[in-house]
Amino acid sequence: MAEGLQKKMQQEVEKFKAVQKEYQSVISSRQQLDSQLTENNGVKEELNLLESDANVFKLIGPVLVKQDLEEAHQNVSKRIDYITGETKRLDKAIEDLDKKQDVQREALGKLQQQLQQAQVKAAMKA
Amino acid sequence: MATADDVQVSSVTSGSSNPLVQLLQHQTKAADIVKEKVKKLTKFKEDYEALKARLESLPDKVSHQVMVPFGSLAFVPGRVKHTNEILCLLGDNWFVERSAKQAAKIVERRIQGCNESLKRFDDELKLVNSWCDQANKFKKDLNQGLNILETEEEDEQWREEHRKRVREYKQKMAALKQASAEESHERSEEEELFRRLDELEMEEELQDELAKLGVGNGDIDWGDELVEEEEEEEDEAISVEEPPEEEEEPQEEENKKKSVRWSESPDAVKQFRRDELILPGAAHDGHEEDKNQDTLKITFKHSPVSSSSAAASSNKRKAKFASFIAEADPSSSSSSVVSSPSEIFRKFRSHTTEPSGGEPSSSSEPKSILKVKKSTTPVIEIVQRQKQKQKLLEEEGPDASGPAADPDRSSLLQQQQITAVGDEVKERGETASSQVGAAAEGGGDESVNTHRPVSRFRAARMGKKL
């Protein structure tokens, strides 16, 4: 009985760890997106301050490509929208993962209790 | 450094302070993080400042002679040519070609951004530091012993003040109690008086009611019967009487129709009643019952349907009477022979219920209160004859012969039996009461089941006379 319980415990622990990892990855990507958002906002502000005849370049790989200011504007705006959408999605994912984690934690706690009781019984018998 | 302190503290203090230690650790970690951020930002700011200076000095010359880094380990003498064309990274792989001045402006803006971040970090650091300070305070208290306890001096001071306050409070309470006690004393006397007055009122009312009842009683019998008892109780009554009562009673008795004197029977009866009021423990209950019976005999009262023999006897006669009517006309809607009040009622009821299609229920008909009906038919003669015969029978003794000895009675009985059967459809109550009446009578004369029912009053009277 105790061995079965222990196995169960291990499984549950692994599950919990997996969920935790997922959670952390989602959190980190969320942070990244957040920084990109601030960056793009800064770019937008600067582009707004530029004169119309300024040369704008985009670094695509090893190549600096000349861009139109208007086009640059639009690109940046689109990027910002995309980033905000992504952040929202990630927020939802974070909530779900959080709930999953809680569930897992509860299950783990129960199993732990059972294990302890089993151990106590074993100690009593022995 | 913070962690080392914490470790020392944890070794010194008990296990209960471990959470406090943990808290401190967390707080210090947070503080460190913020401090590092601040460091970074200050560095950025310095770099930007330097950049700005460079940008301002760059367009001074058309080309600068510099040592250009070549790889990671070498420098090469070279020239910076387009001194006013600066590609600025705006972020997210976006570049813009700017002049030196414009670039300097961009840099300025960046520096401002840095300053704002630094401000935020400073505030955060302050908050975290305050947490740390509070936690440290707690730690100190634990180490030195809780300072929540008062010092001994303070404790003594407080105790003295407390004693004083308690003394004052007790004095106040004592004063209040005295005042309230005086008031209650006066009040209690008043209450006693009121109670006495209420009692006297009650007695007056009772006597009024008794006087009314006494007026209805024209019989001399109970007066004669009770004279002896009353004379005995007169003494008691007088002894128990109190002065205010004496004043009240004669006045009130004069008001009543009946003449009331202290020595004569009705007055004595009243006294008797009063005695009962005053001395509830006295053994007058038996007399009271007799009196009640005698008085109730005259008063108007509906007897219960199935339990009273008086009603049963009257019902039996009624049943017999009804049989005559029934034979003549069962529905009795158009018969002109109205010989009893119940007859009227029955006619009226049948009159009203038949059109509506209702069924004449025996339970709705009230029972006659009179033993003897005012009817002119020969039923009454028979009834009276039966009464006399019954009296004779009872006076003779319980060994009276059965129905065979008395042909008249037997015939009547048969008729009764017939009537019982005949009336079953019509009036259930009557038959039931007649049956019960027979049963009640059986209590007085059990050996002969077919005796006519006798009212319990009659029976009681018989018993008394005997």
Side-chain angles (χ1 to χ4, degrees), chain A residues 39 46 50-51 55 57, chain B residues 92 95 97-98 102 109:
Chain A
E39 205 180 354
E46 288 288 344
L50 279 177
E51 306 92 21
N55 295 328
F57 300 93
Chain B
D92 197 22
F95 288 89
E97 204 177 34
R98 300 257 85 198
Q102 288 164 342
R109 268 175 256 139

Side-chain angles (χ1 to χ4, degrees), chain B residues 186-233:
Chain B
E186 295 167 2
R187 253 183 264 134
S188 64
E189 290 171 5
E190 292 171 6
E191 280 173 13
E192 277 180 28
L193 286 170
F194 280 127
R195 243 181 283 138
R196 189 71 207 128
L197 284 169
D198 287 334
E199 276 177 24
L200 295 171
E201 274 185 47
M202 285 285 290
E203 286 171 17
E204 275 189 50
E205 284 173 23
L206 277 163
Q207 281 165 25
D208 287 342
E209 285 189 32
L210 290 167
K212 284 180 198 166
L213 290 171
V215 169
N217 296 333
D219 289 350
I220 307 164
D221 286 347
W222 55 264
D224 294 334
E225 286 171 0
L226 294 161
V227 158
E228 294 166 3
E229 299 149 3
E230 286 143 24
E231 282 171 1
E232 285 171 7
E233 282 127 26

Side-chain angles (χ1 to χ4, degrees), chain B residues 13-184:
Chain B
T13 54
S14 58
S16 62
S17 65
N18 270 335
L20 188 61
V21 168
Q22 280 181 12
L23 178 66
L24 267 174
Q25 283 175 0
H26 280 298
Q27 284 171 352
T28 47
K29 273 184 195 170
D32 290 340
I33 288 165
V34 176
K35 279 174 191 171
E36 291 209 12
K37 281 185 187 174
V38 169
K39 268 186 196 173
K40 239 208 279 185
L41 265 183
T42 45
K43 199 175 174 231
F44 283 173
K45 197 179 169 184
E46 284 171 9
D47 285 346
Y48 277 128
E49 300 276 353
L51 181 62
K52 196 181 174 184
R54 173 64 61 236
L55 282 169
E56 279 171 5
S57 67
L58 204 57
D60 292 342
K61 278 181 168 181
V62 176
S63 63
H64 288 275
Q65 196 104 37
V66 288
M67 291 297 273
V68 180
F70 209 68
S72 60
L73 299 165
F75 286 95
V76 163
R79 283 184 167 263
V80 174
K81 276 209 166 170
H82 302 273
T83 52
N84 214 22
E85 287 154 41
I86 297 167
L87 260 177
C88 302
L89 173 66
L90 302 173
D92 197 22
N93 291 341
W94 288 100
F95 288 89
V96 73
E97 204 177 34
R98 300 257 85 198
S99 70
K101 270 192 187 175
Q102 288 164 342
K105 280 183 188 172
I106 291 172
V107 169
E108 251 185 63
R109 268 175 256 139
R110 296 250 176 104
I111 288 169
Q112 282 176 12
C114 274
N115 285 335
E116 281 168 22
S117 304
L118 268 173
K119 250 191 179 181
R120 266 187 279 130
F121 285 138
D122 273 340
D123 295 336
E124 212 179 306
L125 191 64
K126 274 184 193 175
L127 188 66
V128 173
N129 282 335
S130 68
W131 296 342
C132 282
D133 291 338
Q134 280 184 7
N136 282 325
K137 267 189 188 178
F138 280 132
K139 223 201 316 176
K140 275 182 196 172
D141 290 339
L142 281 173
N143 287 341
Q144 293 171 7
L146 292 168
N147 295 331
I148 302 162
L149 293 172
E150 299 170 340
T151 56
E152 285 180 12
E153 295 169 359
E154 289 174 23
D155 196 29
E156 279 181 29
Q157 277 180 20
W158 176 83
R159 273 202 202 135
E160 282 181 26
E161 283 177 33
H162 183 64
R163 263 180 242 143
K164 280 184 203 168
R165 271 179 250 144
V166 165
R167 245 178 273 148
E168 288 172 13
Y169 176 72
K170 278 185 184 169
Q171 285 167 7
K172 275 187 202 170
M173 288 307 288
L176 277 169
K177 269 184 190 172
Q178 279 179 14
S180 66
E182 288 168 6
E183 287 175 19
S184 65

Side-chain angles (χ1 to χ4, degrees), chain A residues 40 43 47 58 60 67-82, chain B residues 92 94:
Chain A
N40 277 302
V43 170
L47 284 175
K58 173 102 186 174
I60 299 171
Q67 294 272 348
D68 199 14
L69 186 62
E70 298 293 324
E71 215 179 309
H73 251 113
Q74 283 173 12
N75 283 344
V76 171
S77 318
K78 277 183 195 170
R79 184 127 177 92
I80 284 170
D81 295 335
Y82 170 75
Chain B
D92 197 22
W94 288 100

Side-chain angles (χ1 to χ4, degrees), chain B residues 291-362:
Chain B
K291 268 217 183 128
N292 282 342
Q293 280 192 345
D294 291 335
T295 55
L296 280 170
K297 155 194 158 188
I298 297 162
T299 53
F300 185 90
K301 198 178 181 183
H302 276 302
S303 52
V305 177
S306 58
S307 57
S308 70
S309 56
S313 60
S314 72
N315 282 335
K316 260 210 166 173
R317 290 181 206 114
K318 213 199 317 179
K320 197 190 168 299
F321 171 66
S323 69
F324 285 110
I325 307 293
E327 282 158 19
D329 189 359
S331 58
S332 75
S333 57
S334 60
S335 86
S336 58
V337 183
V338 178
S339 47
S340 77
S342 61
E343 227 21 59
I344 297 168
F345 178 75
R346 216 180 299 134
K347 275 193 193 163
F348 174 73
R349 195 164 37 78
S350 61
H351 217 38
T352 51
T353 51
E354 269 164 30
S356 64
E359 49 195 313
S361 59
S362 60

